[in-house]
Amino acid sequence: MMTKIAFVRKKEIPPSAPPITEVGLIGWLRQNLFSSWLNSILTVLSVYFIVVILWDFIPWAYGGHWNTKSLRECLDLDPDVACFSVLTARWKQLLFGLYPAEEYWRPTLTFMFLLLAIVPILFPRFFRFFWFSIIYPGLAVWLLWGGSFWSISIVYIGLTLGALFFLSLIRRYLKNYMVAAILAFLFTVVFFLFISNPLVGLLNVILPISLPFVESLKMGGFTLSLIVGVTGIVASFPIGILLALGRQSNLPVIKMICVGFIEFIRGVPLITLLFVASVLLNYFLPPGTNFDIVLRVVIMVTLFSAAYMAEVIRGGLAGLPLGQHEASASLGLTYWQSQRLIIMPQALKISIPGIVNTFIGLFKDTTLVSIISLRDPVGLASTIRADQKWNGIYWELYVAIGLMFFIFCWGMSQYSQYLERKLKTDK
Amino acid sequence: MEKTKINITDEVAIHISDMNKWFGNFHVLRDINLEVRRGERIVVCGPSGSGKSTLIRCINRLEEHQKGSIIVDGTELTTDLKNIDKIRSEVGMVFQHFNLFPHLTTLENCTLAPMWVRETPEKEATEIAMEMLEKVKIPEQAHKYPGQLSGGQQQRVAIARSLCMKPRIMLFDEVTSALDPEMIKEVLDTMIQLAEEGMTMICVTHEMGFARQVADRVIFMDDGQIVEQNEPEEFFKNPKSDRTKLFLSQILGH
């Protein structure tokens, strides 16, 4: 006997749409802003504070004056709005410091070339003109400081000759890299001591190319921040890597030197180092030596952040399983091959947030050079406020300076996030 | 299955005499004497902490021994870094935890050492790598990253990576211990295949089935010493020392 069938489905009912409270804008709001009582209260409070701040800020900024001659004039017109005229009047100074006005094209060009030189390093897959990144440092120095084109080029010529000498030595005569490196080093030293000067003189006579010389004390504004910041970043990175490796070395002398250096530099405020660079160093150097102030500052900033960099990278190295060292050793890779191909790529990837953190810190710390009376944007702000026309202005100036730093630092942070996504290989 | 025994030659691949090693005050290896012929397949077993992993790690000097001598392919292991790098490039090693390079694809994992250590041109290195990946039966994974592979696949890539260096000796350090049961077989099959091709192998493993099937000699270690060694047949049927008996009863008992 057949069992009685109570219900048979004749047609399929389409699935209902999700409730409106779960999807779309309302769903998002519920999930993210009003998921609980506490969350709702916080949301309302935050919105309130944002509104209060913008309520005052927008009219202040939007109605700001751009074309008055002094702060006095601004206040007479309307004391409740911003007086951006100080930026209109002094923006060139904020960008270039005391750089001669007729030479502004040089730092501008240097900056544009900087972007061009950085692009192949940041996006190596899409841009492949690495040669420009290599010649850029020399080009930048020549453009900014001026002088004879040849006295900069000779550095490149000398180093290239040294490298060629090294390569031809190991190709033809020696298998011993150490001896070849020492010989090539001696060759380069001899070149710079005895050959380079007459050669530069000769080249200057044959083909004089030169720009008017601009001394370091004229450098200022964002130009100076970028000189110190970018050089510091570029130079502190490899030094940091070497220090981190040195700190893990099995050779006690190397280890001691690296640990001592790192701990000493980290234990001293950057300002102290900058004072040493600007004042004390002169006492130790032989009288009459003229050791460029910007160079001194760059060296100190570089060493300072290299010490931090080393510790960040050491963290990355510590995060690698021992098996990676063992696997690369078991394949017969030498120490340096294994560091370069296996260990560092992974350690640096782990350390990206910390590295970029250090870079951003370094870039902002360049404002400390105002303490030793170099004219970076913050130092210039004081100079500008000392002018009686702008005496008493705060917000407009510092907001503008802050905004410019923010753009650079935010850019770095965005790039680091892009890099982390790009290097993700586990999924 | 009949074991192939054609390959053992008179040539000595590894010669270890009176070798001792300490970790600090702990005496991990005591008076080890071992001779491995070319083509021989050896399984090392023993309870954990008996020093068997340390022994094979001494052979490519991932661990340094303090007394006695180890001669691999006619080269003695001393502090000379050049010798060590050379021996390491001749001796392949596969690890318990695979130790693949996670930032490189499977293929790059395989071509890296040939290109940098042997200076093989990229094209040739790629061909060899594909050949080896084919051998371990995962050529289709060549462009994936290790993190995207299963444990068994990763271990097979690790074997292929070692094979790309065309090693004369292979060391296997508990290569199936970190794997899920269903993946152990695919790795063991690869190792059996290698063994049948006549590779000189030393395997630290608890896979007694594998030992029966491919080993020419089973070595039992306990407390840093080689307690007993014999052909697998004899070793499993008539273990001589009590410690071996105890160990075998524990490992085969269930």
PDB file of all heavy atoms in Angstrom, chain B residues 209-236:
ATOM      1  N   GLY B 209      58.307   0.096   6.617  1.00  0.00           N
ATOM      2  CA  GLY B 209      57.953  -0.516   5.347  1.00  0.00           C
ATOM      3  C   GLY B 209      58.914  -0.080   4.254  1.00  0.00           C
ATOM      4  O   GLY B 209      59.392  -0.887   3.441  1.00  0.00           O
ATOM      5  N   PHE B 210      59.209   1.200   4.261  1.00  0.00           N
ATOM      6  CA  PHE B 210      60.148   1.758   3.301  1.00  0.00           C
ATOM      7  C   PHE B 210      61.523   1.112   3.480  1.00  0.00           C
ATOM      8  O   PHE B 210      62.185   0.732   2.518  1.00  0.00           O
ATOM      9  CB  PHE B 210      60.216   3.276   3.498  1.00  0.00           C
ATOM     10  CG  PHE B 210      61.293   3.959   2.714  1.00  0.00           C
ATOM     11  CD1 PHE B 210      61.139   4.210   1.357  1.00  0.00           C
ATOM     12  CD2 PHE B 210      62.471   4.366   3.332  1.00  0.00           C
ATOM     13  CE1 PHE B 210      62.132   4.839   0.638  1.00  0.00           C
ATOM     14  CE2 PHE B 210      63.468   4.996   2.622  1.00  0.00           C
ATOM     15  CZ  PHE B 210      63.291   5.227   1.261  1.00  0.00           C
ATOM     16  N   ALA B 211      61.927   0.965   4.761  1.00  0.00           N
ATOM     17  CA  ALA B 211      63.230   0.370   5.046  1.00  0.00           C
ATOM     18  C   ALA B 211      63.300  -1.047   4.484  1.00  0.00           C
ATOM     19  O   ALA B 211      64.266  -1.427   3.829  1.00  0.00           O
ATOM     20  CB  ALA B 211      63.484   0.356   6.551  1.00  0.00           C
ATOM     21  N   ARG B 212      62.243  -1.812   4.714  1.00  0.00           N
ATOM     22  CA  ARG B 212      62.204  -3.190   4.205  1.00  0.00           C
ATOM     23  C   ARG B 212      62.336  -3.210   2.695  1.00  0.00           C
ATOM     24  O   ARG B 212      63.054  -4.010   2.128  1.00  0.00           O
ATOM     25  CB  ARG B 212      60.863  -3.829   4.570  1.00  0.00           C
ATOM     26  CG  ARG B 212      60.845  -4.442   5.924  1.00  0.00           C
ATOM     27  CD  ARG B 212      59.898  -5.655   5.921  1.00  0.00           C
ATOM     28  NE  ARG B 212      59.912  -6.248   7.226  1.00  0.00           N
ATOM     29  CZ  ARG B 212      59.058  -5.887   8.194  1.00  0.00           C
ATOM     30  NH1 ARG B 212      58.122  -4.994   7.963  1.00  0.00           N
ATOM     31  NH2 ARG B 212      59.133  -6.439   9.377  1.00  0.00           N
ATOM     32  N   GLN B 213      61.609  -2.280   2.068  1.00  0.00           N
ATOM     33  CA  GLN B 213      61.511  -2.343   0.622  1.00  0.00           C
ATOM     34  C   GLN B 213      62.788  -1.902  -0.084  1.00  0.00           C
ATOM     35  O   GLN B 213      63.189  -2.517  -1.062  1.00  0.00           O
ATOM     36  CB  GLN B 213      60.329  -1.484   0.165  1.00  0.00           C
ATOM     37  CG  GLN B 213      59.964  -1.717  -1.278  1.00  0.00           C
ATOM     38  CD  GLN B 213      58.766  -0.888  -1.673  1.00  0.00           C
ATOM     39  OE1 GLN B 213      58.000  -0.434  -0.823  1.00  0.00           O
ATOM     40  NE2 GLN B 213      58.591  -0.674  -2.964  1.00  0.00           N
ATOM     41  N   VAL B 214      63.422  -0.828   0.396  1.00  0.00           N
ATOM     42  CA  VAL B 214      64.537  -0.310  -0.398  1.00  0.00           C
ATOM     43  C   VAL B 214      65.911  -0.381   0.270  1.00  0.00           C
ATOM     44  O   VAL B 214      66.917  -0.310  -0.419  1.00  0.00           O
ATOM     45  CB  VAL B 214      64.295   1.152  -0.848  1.00  0.00           C
ATOM     46  CG1 VAL B 214      62.998   1.271  -1.604  1.00  0.00           C
ATOM     47  CG2 VAL B 214      64.346   2.092   0.330  1.00  0.00           C
ATOM     48  N   ALA B 215      65.966  -0.490   1.592  1.00  0.00           N
ATOM     49  CA  ALA B 215      67.277  -0.332   2.227  1.00  0.00           C
ATOM     50  C   ALA B 215      68.192  -1.518   1.960  1.00  0.00           C
ATOM     51  O   ALA B 215      67.754  -2.663   1.876  1.00  0.00           O
ATOM     52  CB  ALA B 215      67.105  -0.139   3.722  1.00  0.00           C
ATOM     53  N   ASP B 216      69.475  -1.202   1.795  1.00  0.00           N
ATOM     54  CA  ASP B 216      70.472  -2.263   1.753  1.00  0.00           C
ATOM     55  C   ASP B 216      70.953  -2.564   3.160  1.00  0.00           C
ATOM     56  O   ASP B 216      71.465  -3.637   3.436  1.00  0.00           O
ATOM     57  CB  ASP B 216      71.675  -1.821   0.909  1.00  0.00           C
ATOM     58  CG  ASP B 216      71.256  -1.544  -0.522  1.00  0.00           C
ATOM     59  OD1 ASP B 216      70.652  -2.429  -1.139  1.00  0.00           O
ATOM     60  OD2 ASP B 216      71.514  -0.417  -1.008  1.00  0.00           O
ATOM     61  N   ARG B 217      70.827  -1.565   4.016  1.00  0.00           N
ATOM     62  CA  ARG B 217      71.310  -1.726   5.374  1.00  0.00           C
ATOM     63  C   ARG B 217      70.462  -0.849   6.291  1.00  0.00           C
ATOM     64  O   ARG B 217      70.099   0.270   5.916  1.00  0.00           O
ATOM     65  CB  ARG B 217      72.766  -1.262   5.438  1.00  0.00           C
ATOM     66  CG  ARG B 217      73.432  -1.562   6.741  1.00  0.00           C
ATOM     67  CD  ARG B 217      74.955  -1.492   6.694  1.00  0.00           C
ATOM     68  NE  ARG B 217      75.572  -0.647   5.713  1.00  0.00           N
ATOM     69  CZ  ARG B 217      76.630   0.132   5.979  1.00  0.00           C
ATOM     70  NH1 ARG B 217      77.134   0.188   7.194  1.00  0.00           N
ATOM     71  NH2 ARG B 217      77.187   0.843   5.026  1.00  0.00           N
ATOM     72  N   VAL B 218      70.108  -1.361   7.440  1.00  0.00           N
ATOM     73  CA  VAL B 218      69.390  -0.560   8.425  1.00  0.00           C
ATOM     74  C   VAL B 218      70.320  -0.335   9.605  1.00  0.00           C
ATOM     75  O   VAL B 218      70.973  -1.267  10.074  1.00  0.00           O
ATOM     76  CB  VAL B 218      68.096  -1.248   8.895  1.00  0.00           C
ATOM     77  CG1 VAL B 218      67.381  -0.387   9.923  1.00  0.00           C
ATOM     78  CG2 VAL B 218      67.185  -1.534   7.725  1.00  0.00           C
ATOM     79  N   ILE B 219      70.397   0.910  10.042  1.00  0.00           N
ATOM     80  CA  ILE B 219      71.258   1.236  11.168  1.00  0.00           C
ATOM     81  C   ILE B 219      70.379   1.655  12.331  1.00  0.00           C
ATOM     82  O   ILE B 219      69.486   2.494  12.160  1.00  0.00           O
ATOM     83  CB  ILE B 219      72.219   2.382  10.796  1.00  0.00           C
ATOM     84  CG1 ILE B 219      73.231   1.886   9.764  1.00  0.00           C
ATOM     85  CG2 ILE B 219      72.920   2.929  12.028  1.00  0.00           C
ATOM     86  CD1 ILE B 219      74.152   2.956   9.264  1.00  0.00           C
ATOM     87  N   PHE B 220      70.610   1.054  13.482  1.00  0.00           N
ATOM     88  CA  PHE B 220      69.837   1.452  14.650  1.00  0.00           C
ATOM     89  C   PHE B 220      70.729   2.252  15.591  1.00  0.00           C
ATOM     90  O   PHE B 220      71.821   1.818  15.950  1.00  0.00           O
ATOM     91  CB  PHE B 220      69.282   0.223  15.366  1.00  0.00           C
ATOM     92  CG  PHE B 220      68.593   0.563  16.649  1.00  0.00           C
ATOM     93  CD1 PHE B 220      67.369   1.230  16.633  1.00  0.00           C
ATOM     94  CD2 PHE B 220      69.170   0.249  17.875  1.00  0.00           C
ATOM     95  CE1 PHE B 220      66.738   1.556  17.816  1.00  0.00           C
ATOM     96  CE2 PHE B 220      68.537   0.591  19.057  1.00  0.00           C
ATOM     97  CZ  PHE B 220      67.313   1.247  19.033  1.00  0.00           C
ATOM     98  N   MET B 221      70.273   3.433  15.943  1.00  0.00           N
ATOM     99  CA  MET B 221      71.050   4.279  16.843  1.00  0.00           C
ATOM    100  C   MET B 221      70.302   4.484  18.140  1.00  0.00           C
ATOM    101  O   MET B 221      69.074   4.590  18.165  1.00  0.00           O
ATOM    102  CB  MET B 221      71.311   5.649  16.212  1.00  0.00           C
ATOM    103  CG  MET B 221      72.359   5.638  15.133  1.00  0.00           C
ATOM    104  SD  MET B 221      72.672   7.297  14.547  1.00  0.00           S
ATOM    105  CE  MET B 221      73.617   7.971  15.885  1.00  0.00           C
ATOM    106  N   ASP B 222      71.066   4.534  19.224  1.00  0.00           N
ATOM    107  CA  ASP B 222      70.464   4.906  20.499  1.00  0.00           C
ATOM    108  C   ASP B 222      71.531   5.608  21.315  1.00  0.00           C
ATOM    109  O   ASP B 222      72.701   5.207  21.288  1.00  0.00           O
ATOM    110  CB  ASP B 222      69.940   3.659  21.217  1.00  0.00           C
ATOM    111  CG  ASP B 222      69.044   4.053  22.393  1.00  0.00           C
ATOM    112  OD1 ASP B 222      68.640   5.236  22.464  1.00  0.00           O
ATOM    113  OD2 ASP B 222      68.753   3.171  23.224  1.00  0.00           O
ATOM    114  N   ASP B 223      71.133   6.676  21.998  1.00  0.00           N
ATOM    115  CA  ASP B 223      72.049   7.350  22.899  1.00  0.00           C
ATOM    116  C   ASP B 223      73.352   7.773  22.215  1.00  0.00           C
ATOM    117  O   ASP B 223      74.427   7.680  22.794  1.00  0.00           O
ATOM    118  CB  ASP B 223      72.363   6.402  24.069  1.00  0.00           C
ATOM    119  CG  ASP B 223      72.806   7.195  25.291  1.00  0.00           C
ATOM    120  OD1 ASP B 223      72.541   8.408  25.302  1.00  0.00           O
ATOM    121  OD2 ASP B 223      73.411   6.598  26.182  1.00  0.00           O
ATOM    122  N   GLY B 224      73.246   8.214  20.977  1.00  0.00           N
ATOM    123  CA  GLY B 224      74.422   8.738  20.294  1.00  0.00           C
ATOM    124  C   GLY B 224      75.352   7.695  19.735  1.00  0.00           C
ATOM    125  O   GLY B 224      76.439   8.023  19.255  1.00  0.00           O
ATOM    126  N   GLN B 225      74.950   6.418  19.795  1.00  0.00           N
ATOM    127  CA  GLN B 225      75.835   5.373  19.278  1.00  0.00           C
ATOM    128  C   GLN B 225      75.108   4.547  18.222  1.00  0.00           C
ATOM    129  O   GLN B 225      73.882   4.442  18.236  1.00  0.00           O
ATOM    130  CB  GLN B 225      76.251   4.433  20.409  1.00  0.00           C
ATOM    131  CG  GLN B 225      77.248   5.054  21.344  1.00  0.00           C
ATOM    132  CD  GLN B 225      77.374   4.233  22.592  1.00  0.00           C
ATOM    133  OE1 GLN B 225      76.375   3.936  23.251  1.00  0.00           O
ATOM    134  NE2 GLN B 225      78.597   3.852  22.918  1.00  0.00           N
ATOM    135  N   ILE B 226      75.909   3.965  17.312  1.00  0.00           N
ATOM    136  CA  ILE B 226      75.334   2.980  16.407  1.00  0.00           C
ATOM    137  C   ILE B 226      75.291   1.669  17.174  1.00  0.00           C
ATOM    138  O   ILE B 226      76.324   1.098  17.511  1.00  0.00           O
ATOM    139  CB  ILE B 226      76.168   2.835  15.128  1.00  0.00           C
ATOM    140  CG1 ILE B 226      76.104   4.142  14.328  1.00  0.00           C
ATOM    141  CG2 ILE B 226      75.654   1.675  14.284  1.00  0.00           C
ATOM    142  CD1 ILE B 226      76.898   4.124  13.049  1.00  0.00           C
ATOM    143  N   VAL B 227      74.071   1.223  17.504  1.00  0.00           N
ATOM    144  CA  VAL B 227      73.932   0.029  18.336  1.00  0.00           C
ATOM    145  C   VAL B 227      74.004  -1.218  17.477  1.00  0.00           C
ATOM    146  O   VAL B 227      74.615  -2.209  17.843  1.00  0.00           O
ATOM    147  CB  VAL B 227      72.597   0.073  19.107  1.00  0.00           C
ATOM    148  CG1 VAL B 227      72.403  -1.199  19.904  1.00  0.00           C
ATOM    149  CG2 VAL B 227      72.556   1.290  20.012  1.00  0.00           C
ATOM    150  N   GLU B 228      73.387  -1.149  16.321  1.00  0.00           N
ATOM    151  CA  GLU B 228      73.279  -2.355  15.521  1.00  0.00           C
ATOM    152  C   GLU B 228      73.078  -1.968  14.071  1.00  0.00           C
ATOM    153  O   GLU B 228      72.427  -0.976  13.775  1.00  0.00           O
ATOM    154  CB  GLU B 228      72.058  -3.149  16.011  1.00  0.00           C
ATOM    155  CG  GLU B 228      71.940  -4.503  15.388  1.00  0.00           C
ATOM    156  CD  GLU B 228      70.872  -5.342  16.076  1.00  0.00           C
ATOM    157  OE1 GLU B 228      70.502  -5.017  17.229  1.00  0.00           O
ATOM    158  OE2 GLU B 228      70.412  -6.303  15.469  1.00  0.00           O
ATOM    159  N   GLN B 229      73.660  -2.725  13.151  1.00  0.00           N
ATOM    160  CA  GLN B 229      73.351  -2.512  11.749  1.00  0.00           C
ATOM    161  C   GLN B 229      73.346  -3.841  11.032  1.00  0.00           C
ATOM    162  O   GLN B 229      74.158  -4.713  11.313  1.00  0.00           O
ATOM    163  CB  GLN B 229      74.321  -1.537  11.102  1.00  0.00           C
ATOM    164  CG  GLN B 229      75.780  -1.768  11.409  1.00  0.00           C
ATOM    165  CD  GLN B 229      76.646  -0.736  10.725  1.00  0.00           C
ATOM    166  OE1 GLN B 229      76.475  -0.473   9.542  1.00  0.00           O
ATOM    167  NE2 GLN B 229      77.566  -0.148  11.465  1.00  0.00           N
ATOM    168  N   ASN B 230      72.384  -3.947  10.102  1.00  0.00           N
ATOM    169  CA  ASN B 230      72.251  -5.222   9.425  1.00  0.00           C
ATOM    170  C   ASN B 230      71.405  -5.044   8.174  1.00  0.00           C
ATOM    171  O   ASN B 230      70.796  -3.993   7.962  1.00  0.00           O
ATOM    172  CB  ASN B 230      71.577  -6.229  10.365  1.00  0.00           C
ATOM    173  CG  ASN B 230      72.105  -7.623  10.109  1.00  0.00           C
ATOM    174  OD1 ASN B 230      72.532  -7.949   9.004  1.00  0.00           O
ATOM    175  ND2 ASN B 230      72.071  -8.428  11.150  1.00  0.00           N
ATOM    176  N   GLU B 231      71.354  -6.090   7.362  1.00  0.00           N
ATOM    177  CA  GLU B 231      70.430  -6.067   6.229  1.00  0.00           C
ATOM    178  C   GLU B 231      69.012  -6.068   6.780  1.00  0.00           C
ATOM    179  O   GLU B 231      68.753  -6.664   7.825  1.00  0.00           O
ATOM    180  CB  GLU B 231      70.654  -7.300   5.359  1.00  0.00           C
ATOM    181  CG  GLU B 231      71.964  -7.229   4.607  1.00  0.00           C
ATOM    182  CD  GLU B 231      72.086  -8.338   3.579  1.00  0.00           C
ATOM    183  OE1 GLU B 231      71.116  -9.111   3.437  1.00  0.00           O
ATOM    184  OE2 GLU B 231      73.136  -8.406   2.939  1.00  0.00           O
ATOM    185  N   PRO B 232      68.075  -5.427   6.095  1.00  0.00           N
ATOM    186  CA  PRO B 232      66.739  -5.263   6.667  1.00  0.00           C
ATOM    187  C   PRO B 232      66.089  -6.583   7.068  1.00  0.00           C
ATOM    188  O   PRO B 232      65.483  -6.675   8.138  1.00  0.00           O
ATOM    189  CB  PRO B 232      65.953  -4.551   5.565  1.00  0.00           C
ATOM    190  CG  PRO B 232      66.842  -4.490   4.384  1.00  0.00           C
ATOM    191  CD  PRO B 232      68.228  -4.730   4.817  1.00  0.00           C
ATOM    192  N   GLU B 233      66.249  -7.568   6.213  1.00  0.00           N
ATOM    193  CA  GLU B 233      65.650  -8.868   6.503  1.00  0.00           C
ATOM    194  C   GLU B 233      66.049  -9.346   7.902  1.00  0.00           C
ATOM    195  O   GLU B 233      65.211  -9.610   8.774  1.00  0.00           O
ATOM    196  CB  GLU B 233      66.146  -9.879   5.450  1.00  0.00           C
ATOM    197  CG  GLU B 233      65.290 -11.093   5.321  1.00  0.00           C
ATOM    198  CD  GLU B 233      64.123 -10.849   4.370  1.00  0.00           C
ATOM    199  OE1 GLU B 233      63.869  -9.673   4.001  1.00  0.00           O
ATOM    200  OE2 GLU B 233      63.468 -11.810   4.018  1.00  0.00           O
ATOM    201  N   GLU B 234      67.370  -9.402   8.097  1.00  0.00           N
ATOM    202  CA  GLU B 234      67.912  -9.870   9.359  1.00  0.00           C
ATOM    203  C   GLU B 234      67.558  -8.924  10.497  1.00  0.00           C
ATOM    204  O   GLU B 234      67.207  -9.345  11.607  1.00  0.00           O
ATOM    205  CB  GLU B 234      69.452  -9.953   9.258  1.00  0.00           C
ATOM    206  CG  GLU B 234      69.955 -11.260   8.690  1.00  0.00           C
ATOM    207  CD  GLU B 234      69.552 -12.433   9.571  1.00  0.00           C
ATOM    208  OE1 GLU B 234      69.992 -12.503  10.731  1.00  0.00           O
ATOM    209  OE2 GLU B 234      68.757 -13.262   9.085  1.00  0.00           O
ATOM    210  N   PHE B 235      67.672  -7.647  10.205  1.00  0.00           N
ATOM    211  CA  PHE B 235      67.458  -6.629  11.224  1.00  0.00           C
ATOM    212  C   PHE B 235      66.074  -6.758  11.856  1.00  0.00           C
ATOM    213  O   PHE B 235      65.915  -6.719  13.071  1.00  0.00           O
ATOM    214  CB  PHE B 235      67.629  -5.235  10.609  1.00  0.00           C
ATOM    215  CG  PHE B 235      67.427  -4.111  11.574  1.00  0.00           C
ATOM    216  CD1 PHE B 235      68.460  -3.697  12.405  1.00  0.00           C
ATOM    217  CD2 PHE B 235      66.196  -3.468  11.671  1.00  0.00           C
ATOM    218  CE1 PHE B 235      68.276  -2.660  13.297  1.00  0.00           C
ATOM    219  CE2 PHE B 235      66.009  -2.433  12.572  1.00  0.00           C
ATOM    220  CZ  PHE B 235      67.050  -2.035  13.384  1.00  0.00           C
ATOM    221  N   PHE B 236      65.056  -6.938  11.009  1.00  0.00           N
ATOM    222  CA  PHE B 236      63.703  -7.008  11.557  1.00  0.00           C
ATOM    223  C   PHE B 236      63.401  -8.383  12.148  1.00  0.00           C
ATOM    224  O   PHE B 236      62.653  -8.497  13.103  1.00  0.00           O
ATOM    225  CB  PHE B 236      62.679  -6.644  10.477  1.00  0.00           C
ATOM    226  CG  PHE B 236      62.741  -5.199  10.087  1.00  0.00           C
ATOM    227  CD1 PHE B 236      63.206  -4.805   8.849  1.00  0.00           C
ATOM    228  CD2 PHE B 236      62.348  -4.217  10.992  1.00  0.00           C
ATOM    229  CE1 PHE B 236      63.270  -3.473   8.500  1.00  0.00           C
ATOM    230  CE2 PHE B 236      62.408  -2.884  10.648  1.00  0.00           C
ATOM    231  CZ  PHE B 236      62.873  -2.502   9.398  1.00  0.00           C
TER     232      PHE B 236
END
